[in-house]
Amino acid sequence: MDTVVSGIRPTGNLHLGNYFGALRNFIKMQNENNCYFFIADYHSLTTHPTPADLHGNVKSVLVDYLAAGLDPEKATLYLQSDLPETAELYLFLNMNAYLGELERVTSFKDKARSQPDNINAGLLTYPTLMAADIIIHRAQKVPVGKDQEQHLEMTRTFANRFNRLYHTEYFPEPVAYNFGEQLVKIPGLDGSTKMGKSEGEGNAIFLIDEPAVIRKKVMKAVTDSGPTEPNQPKPQAIENIFNLMKALSKPETLSFFEEEYNQCRIRYGDMKKQLAEDIIIFTDPLREKIREISADEKYLHRVVRLGKEKAHESASKTINEVREIIGFKAF
Ligand code: TRP
């Protein structure tokens, strides 16, 4: 059984992009692997040192995870800040992480550009913390998207370097966990290729959105005046609507609108109405569960405590062994 680790930053409620991109696969993975899924609340401080509602955002992600079907008995669900061993390993890894290599990381350069008044050391060492998250459980696999590949490469570098410096083979080199064709990229409603929270109001549909909100957002999705000739390639915004339908509607619904498009008969209003209803059918039971779990403070408390215990069991073993490998000894 492989050990799998993945983290998500606590950005608040999850949207369909999160669901189809990662969550759905996590739910499958938890049956076949030793999974650690955590909420990266330490990491959020690299961009938001004084977060407005850290606890609320952590809770939203946790509740959405549980509602979607992550099972705290099967997988280990925990908060990064409940595992100080991660911070200690981060400290050790930072001793062997070099300014040059950290400065070259794309995400650092992007963030340095977008927050020039807050280019802090945490931002620079984001990849070291992420490496610590992963190797604290000595994971072999990390289910991440394209945007995290460079961070995973850094993780391998740090794990390798540790092994080399301390003459050990203690840490495995974690690889990306690819789900192949199952990876569905959910586009945004604003014509952009990615559904995301930061892309602006109306671009994303959240798992908790009420039917009326979903209808409104979908009806506002960017379209055009339609094809003028049969069998034309689709402009991006139109392709997006079709891709959403592919993920959420029945195959026959999709092929009906494909045909309408190819015959230049398509009425985007009708298509969007149908898409909105199919999204609602999908999110209805989730929204119901989110509401229930969110109100159940006792259950959430139990879930978080169990996750902390299970994560601590794995992490404390690692950190003790790491201390010994480096040369710390008890008196
Ligand atoms: N950097 C990841 C992201 O932004 C979040 C993350 C933090 C993570 N630590 C991790 C992902 C460890 C996988 C493994 O999406």
Side-chain angles (χ1 to χ4, degrees):
M1 200 145 67
D2 284 326
T3 297
V4 172
V5 170
S6 194
I8 180 168
R9 273 171 294 146
T11 48
N13 298 114
L14 301 185
H15 50 67
L16 289 175
N18 301 123
Y19 184 88
F20 286 95
L23 203 40
R24 202 173 53 142
N25 295 296
F26 290 180
I27 293 160
K28 286 187 206 144
M29 275 175 215
Q30 66 183 351
N31 297 312
E32 294 140 37
N33 302 276
N34 179 24
C35 290
Y36 294 89
F37 298 127
F38 69 95
I39 300 171
D41 49 2
Y42 283 157
H43 267 118
S44 68
L45 300 179
T46 62
T47 50
H48 299 83
T50 55
D53 186 14
L54 183 58
H55 180 74
N57 288 335
V58 168
K59 180 178 169 182
S60 298
V61 173
L62 178 66
V63 170
D64 287 0
Y65 264 15
L66 293 165
L70 283 188
D71 181 343
E73 303 285 337
K74 288 183 188 162
T76 300
L77 305 181
Y78 68 99
L79 316 186
Q80 191 182 30
S81 60
D82 269 341
L83 207 61
E85 291 88 345
T86 302
E88 186 174 344
L89 183 56
Y90 165 63
L91 179 150
F92 292 143
L93 295 180
N94 272 334
M95 302 300 173
N96 304 315
Y98 304 114
L99 181 61
E101 64 188 344
L102 293 168
E103 277 177 334
R104 278 195 298 275
V105 174
T106 310
S107 64
F108 173 72
K109 290 193 281 192
D110 288 347
K111 286 280 152 49
R113 222 172 290 129
S114 67
Q115 53 182 70
D117 299 327
N118 183 22
I119 308 177
N120 62 72
L123 204 55
L124 181 70
T125 56
Y126 187 110
T128 349
L129 181 55
M130 179 158 159
D133 291 328
I134 296 166
I135 70 177
I136 194 73
H137 302 298
R138 300 174 73 199
Q140 289 95 353
K141 288 178 174 176
V142 185
V144 289
K146 267 247 168 300
D147 63 321
Q148 296 297 314
E149 258 163 26
Q150 195 181 20
H151 289 154
L152 192 55
E153 184 62 42
M154 298 288 286
T155 302
R156 284 192 286 271
T157 301
F158 296 139
N160 251 326
R161 189 174 294 157
F162 181 95
N163 289 348
R164 196 164 34 75
L165 284 171
Y166 303 105
H167 307 289
T168 170
E169 286 178 12
Y170 188 66
F171 288 119
E173 268 189 54
V175 295
Y177 196 154
N178 289 318
F179 344 97
E181 310 122 53
Q182 293 163 15
L183 200 68
V184 178
K185 201 169 147 202
I186 297 292
L189 294 172
D190 60 354
S192 71
T193 53
K194 199 175 168 197
M195 182 172 281
K197 193 178 179 131
S198 51
E199 272 68 16
E201 192 54 33
N203 171 49
I205 290 176
F206 296 94
L207 304 181
I208 52 149
D209 279 349
E210 295 288 340
V213 174
I214 294 175
R215 288 190 188 105
K216 200 167 148 201
K217 284 183 181 172
V218 173
M219 293 318 284
K220 276 196 183 159
V222 177
T223 49
D224 56 22
S225 50
T228 49
E229 280 171 64
N231 304 314
Q232 283 291 297
K234 301 183 186 89
Q236 188 63 56
I238 304 304
E239 181 78 23
N240 288 354
I241 310 286
F242 275 91
N243 281 339
L244 277 165
M245 199 165 238
K246 193 171 174 182
L248 286 135
S249 303
K250 294 199 183 107
E252 51 279 23
T253 309
L254 178 68
S255 45
F256 171 79
F257 286 103
E258 287 280 6
E259 186 60 16
E260 294 291 286
Y261 181 87
N262 286 332
Q263 301 303 325
C264 303
R265 285 191 305 246
I266 188 118
R267 293 168 59 163
Y268 292 125
D270 293 348
M271 183 178 182
K272 291 198 275 189
K273 252 184 216 149
Q274 179 66 48
L275 175 62
E277 296 317 306
D278 291 338
I279 293 175
I280 291 164
I281 290 171
F282 175 79
T283 54
D284 249 348
L286 280 171
R287 192 175 55 257
E288 207 43 52
K289 273 194 213 139
I290 291 170
R291 207 178 294 142
E292 257 170 52
I293 296 172
S294 193
D296 195 344
E297 296 290 340
K298 263 199 197 133
Y299 172 68
L300 287 172
H301 179 79
R302 269 208 316 278
V303 166
V304 170
R305 200 185 45 202
L306 176 68
K308 181 176 171 169
E309 274 166 21
K310 290 204 285 179
H312 175 71
E313 200 177 303
S314 150
S316 63
K317 182 168 182 293
T318 304
I319 207 71
N320 286 335
E321 288 168 351
V322 163
R323 280 167 157 262
E324 201 177 299
I325 289 169
I326 296 177
F328 292 95
K329 265 190 196 145
F331 279 93

